[in-house]
Amino acid sequence: MPSTELRLVSWNVNGLRATLKKDPSFEEIFHTLDADVFAIQETKLQDDQRAKLKLATDGYAQTWNFAERKGYSGTAVWSREEPLQVIRQIGCEVADDEGRVCALEFNKFWFVNVYTPNAQDGLKRIDARLAWDERFREFLQELDKDKPVITCGDFNVAHQEIDLKNPGPNRGNAGFSDEERESFGKLLDAGFVDTFRARHPDVTGAYSWWSYRFRARQNNAGWRIDYFLVSERIAQNVTGASILNEVYGSDHCPVELTIEL
């Protein structure tokens, strides 16, 4: 069977309803990017709220996962192809009720959209965060035994100093603690490739999230915490990995992967 190039997009929208009201709106951005699979994190929706949105996204199968807590977390995936099956929980007690994963099986690969728990100020939730990381890593390895994996989302960690504007003052803070960085490194060591850094090993100033404070986005004082990772055995199939920092509407911008499968 001939390979097909797929365009995949991931975006933490920080509240889908808010993004729908922006100019351009989420729907306009969605159609402009024209992805084969479009994943979002932090929808902040319940199922009944989602049903009222009447999104103009015809031609896509929709997969949603909602947090039990209202106005919090949540993930969703639009795919041109209907998934063979969907997994919404990974077997991690600390956050399995928070709507953080949509794992979709397709013919040639598993696609896993994730919104990783934040360690929070003062690393108040670091133990839960690390427990999640460990279980998520095991989950991906289990899927990888079946089919190669493409996983994306807001991983809430800048892995290396090159991945944020001000590493010195942020060392030890949530998202740049030694524990979180080491944990992300374990995920890569488990057989997964950070596609953007693999293709752009020395590029600086490439960020996907900026604080709403201190004119951070205007000054590009950001962090790269949104990723596409792929199983090592399909890393050579990646044809492009980009950060779409020209797209506004959230404190994050979308990230994109193109891959031949």
Side-chain angles (χ1 to χ4, degrees):
M1 184 180 295
S3 62
T4 302
E5 185 175 74
L6 297 173
R7 171 178 287 178
L8 314 171
V9 170
S10 174
W11 190 16
N12 181 322
V13 295
N14 193 12
L16 181 57
R17 285 177 296 179
T19 311
L20 285 165
K21 298 172 185 175
K22 302 285 179 67
D23 184 19
S25 71
F26 171 81
E27 288 170 317
E28 291 175 88
I29 293 166
F30 179 93
H31 289 295
T32 297
L33 294 179
D34 193 30
D36 296 293
V37 184
F38 196 115
I40 64 173
Q41 306 86 41
E42 212 169 352
T43 61
K44 299 183 179 180
L45 290 174
Q46 303 299 119
D47 195 14
D48 60 329
Q49 296 170 319
R50 188 271 313 164
K52 296 174 184 176
L53 292 181
K54 296 181 172 60
L55 294 165
T57 55
D58 293 347
Y60 287 84
Q62 296 183 31
T63 300
W64 294 81
N65 195 1
F66 308 100
E68 291 184 9
R69 174 178 159 192
K70 290 186 177 181
Y72 181 70
S73 189
T75 49
V77 177
W78 285 259
S79 56
R80 294 193 197 275
E81 185 180 327
E82 194 79 34
L84 302 175
Q85 66 167 313
V86 174
I87 299 173
R88 293 180 174 84
Q89 293 187 320
I90 65 171
C92 182
E93 292 182 1
V94 300
D96 252 355
D97 61 350
E98 295 177 1
R100 294 187 175 274
V101 166
C102 290
L104 287 68
E105 182 187 6
F106 296 111
N107 285 324
K108 294 184 178 181
F109 65 102
W110 276 95
F111 181 88
V112 183
N113 176 27
V114 64
Y115 176 41
T116 301
N118 192 305
Q120 299 184 353
D121 290 344
L123 303 182
K124 288 184 294 188
R125 206 185 184 193
I126 188 66
D127 290 344
R129 161 61 184 268
L130 295 177
W132 171 273
D133 281 358
E134 181 178 4
R135 178 60 200 134
F136 185 69
R137 182 170 67 249
E138 293 169 350
F139 175 70
L140 293 187
Q141 289 177 294
E142 290 162 7
L143 297 184
D144 190 49
K145 292 175 183 176
D146 176 43
K147 294 177 181 179
V149 171
I150 300 171
T151 183
C152 67
D154 177 358
F155 283 77
N156 261 317
V157 62
H159 184 215
Q160 303 290 357
E161 291 191 356
I162 196 175
D163 294 317
L164 71 166
K165 177 72 171 181
N166 296 306
N170 282 295
R171 191 173 305 281
N173 290 343
F176 198 60
S177 67
D178 291 345
E179 297 94 327
E180 291 165 293
R181 294 171 65 196
E182 179 183 357
S183 183
F184 188 79
K186 288 179 180 178
L187 178 54
L188 301 183
D189 291 342
F192 300 95
V193 174
D194 174 355
T195 58
F196 181 84
R197 195 51 75 196
R199 293 185 68 85
H200 311 284
D202 303 315
V203 169
T204 60
Y207 308 128
S208 63
W209 174 79
W210 303 262
S211 170
Y212 280 131
R213 298 180 294 172
F214 312 124
R215 298 175 58 85
R217 190 153 188 179
Q218 294 93 317
N219 297 322
N220 198 30
W223 300 49
R224 188 174 73 96
I225 60 176
D226 301 89
Y227 298 82
F228 267 100
L229 309 181
V230 300
S231 298
E232 286 179 349
R233 66 183 183 278
I234 57 169
Q236 73 277 5
N237 298 64
V238 172
T239 55
S242 306
I243 297 175
L244 306 180
N245 58 10
E246 73 280 4
V247 177
Y248 284 73
S250 169
D251 52 349
H252 295 248
C253 73
V255 295
E256 181 184 73
L257 181 75
T258 53
I259 186 168
E260 291 185 349
L261 291 173

